[in-house]
Amino acid sequence: MVAAYTFVEVLVSQLPFQYTIIADYIASEGSKIDIITTGSSQMKCAVNPAFMKEPTLNFGSTSQHHNTDYAIITQTHDKLKNVKCLVLEVSYSHFELPHNAPTFWKNNVYLKYYDVNNFDRTTYFKDKLIFLSRPDIYTKELTNHYLKKKTTSQFNRFGFDENNYNGSFKKSNYDEAKIPTVSSEINTSESLQLFKHNTAFFFTFLDYLEANHINVVLTSLPMHKYYLRDRNENILHRRDSILKVASERYKNVHIFRKEEDTLHFKTSDYINHNHLNPDGAKRYTEMLDTFIEANHLQQ
């Protein structure tokens, strides 16, 4: 049984995988990286470092919250000592969604590839076993890659998937008449308790960045107009109030709001209502790069 799991673990480690590529990028060029972006899947899909003038690393990952962002930034600091600017996602409902738990399955991934401990405990050998963290996901990935030969991801050297187009909008052929009927996942449940906890942690995060002389860009990423329509105005107002406080309290904090930009981003730039495809990512990344350069945040 141990031999079988070992064999499967080796096969998983050889999959085309965002995290392995990012780990290799850090190992080879970590001392040169000036800019880090981090956040959830929205950030993962929005920033292609290939279009940034300065060396950039995108740590964005599906379901990743601020507590994991903080663990990654603080625990990779020694490997990324040249970082001058952090681009931090602050989505519409970031402050009213629960942080990643110590049992979050991706903690195994962070530990194995980034040497980041987000378990809130001492780690053990088994914590670096990727297959056992989510057998359902990796069984599917192994089947698709080794048996069905239908892996579609095309990662560049920064770990960005340049073929990430498949989604509900593509299935609808980007037809404007069909998009209003495409289902959307959006959090509209209010939680003042989570808001209080998450904002307190957020300011602790900003305190750390200020103390380490790292410029901060708080960004709200582009969302499709129908996603914008479905937002809870109370959640939105509270998020915006925190952005205002942060920009007033910290001299190193800048706000880059693109959430409501429906002029530069069109339906064909999206995977679904709240994720950009590689075309949209190119546009957003170039705009972000211009913003950082104009404000001298990479220096």
Side-chain angles (χ1 to χ4, degrees), residues 225-241:
K225 61 183 178 181
Y226 294 118
Y227 184 96
L228 299 176
R229 176 197 62 188
D230 294 337
R231 294 174 301 177
N232 180 317
E233 290 297 322
N234 293 327
I235 294 176
L236 177 63
H237 175 73
R238 284 191 287 272
R239 190 281 307 270
D240 287 349
S241 70

Side-chain angles (χ1 to χ4, degrees), residues 62-69 71 97-108 110 116-121 194 197-198:
T62 302
S63 300
Q64 188 169 290
H65 209 320
H66 282 157
N67 65 318
T68 302
D69 293 333
L97 290 172
H99 279 177
N100 300 133
T103 55
F104 183 39
W105 69 272
K106 282 192 178 181
N107 289 344
N108 300 72
Y110 301 129
V116 168
N117 178 7
N118 202 34
F119 287 96
D120 290 344
R121 59 169 172 77
L194 279 176
H197 175 271
N198 291 357

Side-chain angles (χ1 to χ4, degrees), residues 66 88-96 192 194-206 218 234-250 253-255 257:
H66 282 157
L88 181 62
E89 179 193 4
V90 186
S91 72
Y92 139 77
S93 61
H94 241 88
F95 295 123
E96 300 189 38
L192 294 180
L194 279 176
F195 177 79
K196 182 178 179 179
H197 175 271
N198 291 357
T199 52
F201 182 90
F202 179 68
F203 287 121
T204 298
F205 196 170
L206 294 184
L218 301 179
N234 293 327
I235 294 176
L236 177 63
H237 175 73
R238 284 191 287 272
R239 190 281 307 270
D240 287 349
S241 70
I242 296 302
L243 293 182
K244 184 174 187 295
V245 170
S247 65
E248 292 174 349
R249 183 180 297 182
Y250 300 92
V253 168
H254 297 71
I255 311 297
R257 299 193 59 148

Side-chain angles (χ1 to χ4, degrees), residues 49-281:
F51 298 109
M52 298 288 287
K53 293 185 185 70
E54 301 299 327
T56 299
L57 170 61
N58 184 356
F59 269 128
S61 181
T62 302
S63 300
Q64 188 169 290
H65 209 320
H66 282 157
N67 65 318
T68 302
D69 293 333
Y70 179 79
I72 291 172
I73 296 305
T74 56
Q75 295 182 46
T76 60
H77 180 75
D78 289 344
K79 299 176 184 177
L80 302 165
K81 292 183 177 180
N82 196 51
V83 171
K84 306 294 192 308
C85 179
L86 174 67
V87 183
L88 181 62
E89 179 193 4
V90 186
S91 72
Y92 139 77
S93 61
H94 241 88
F95 295 123
E96 300 189 38
L97 290 172
H99 279 177
N100 300 133
T103 55
F104 183 39
W105 69 272
K106 282 192 178 181
N107 289 344
N108 300 72
V109 174
Y110 301 129
L111 182 64
K112 181 178 179 67
Y113 295 108
Y114 303 158
D115 197 25
V116 168
N117 178 7
N118 202 34
F119 287 96
D120 290 344
R121 59 169 172 77
T122 301
T123 59
Y124 304 96
F125 173 76
K126 67 179 180 60
D127 294 322
K128 289 189 176 183
L129 297 178
I130 302 302
F131 178 78
L132 292 180
S133 67
R134 282 299 297 267
D136 55 335
I137 290 178
Y138 292 113
T139 297
K140 182 179 179 180
E141 291 294 327
L142 288 169
T143 301
N144 287 339
H145 183 71
Y146 291 107
L147 298 180
K148 296 183 179 180
K149 309 291 185 182
K150 68 173 192 178
T151 301
T152 60
S153 298
Q154 294 179 6
F155 295 106
N156 61 22
R157 72 184 187 90
F158 307 103
F160 181 86
D161 185 358
E162 296 183 329
N163 194 38
N164 190 23
Y165 289 93
N166 290 331
S168 57
F169 279 22
K170 184 178 180 181
K171 289 179 181 177
S172 300
N173 295 316
Y174 307 106
D175 186 338
E176 295 291 348
K178 296 179 180 179
I179 298 301
T181 66
V182 174
S183 62
S184 170
E185 293 186 11
I186 182 171
N187 175 51
T188 57
S189 299
E190 299 181 45
S191 175
L192 294 180
Q193 182 178 1
L194 279 176
F195 177 79
K196 182 178 179 179
H197 175 271
N198 291 357
T199 52
F201 182 90
F202 179 68
F203 287 121
T204 298
F205 196 170
L206 294 184
D207 287 342
Y208 169 84
L209 296 168
E210 181 183 51
N212 283 274
H213 310 291
I214 297 174
N215 291 314
V216 182
V217 176
L218 301 179
T219 187
S220 57
L221 297 163
M223 303 292 158
H224 194 268
K225 61 183 178 181
Y226 294 118
Y227 184 96
L228 299 176
R229 176 197 62 188
D230 294 337
R231 294 174 301 177
N232 180 317
E233 290 297 322
N234 293 327
I235 294 176
L236 177 63
H237 175 73
R238 284 191 287 272
R239 190 281 307 270
D240 287 349
S241 70
I242 296 302
L243 293 182
K244 184 174 187 295
V245 170
S247 65
E248 292 174 349
R249 183 180 297 182
Y250 300 92
K251 292 181 179 180
N252 62 320
V253 168
H254 297 71
I255 311 297
F256 185 59
R257 299 193 59 148
K258 302 307 294 180
E259 188 172 19
E260 298 177 1
D261 187 345
T262 57
L263 176 64
H264 295 98
F265 297 89
K266 51 190 183 296
T267 295
S268 59
D269 288 323
Y270 289 90
I271 297 171
N272 51 35
H273 290 278
N274 61 334
H275 292 82
L276 293 172
N277 64 28
D279 295 339

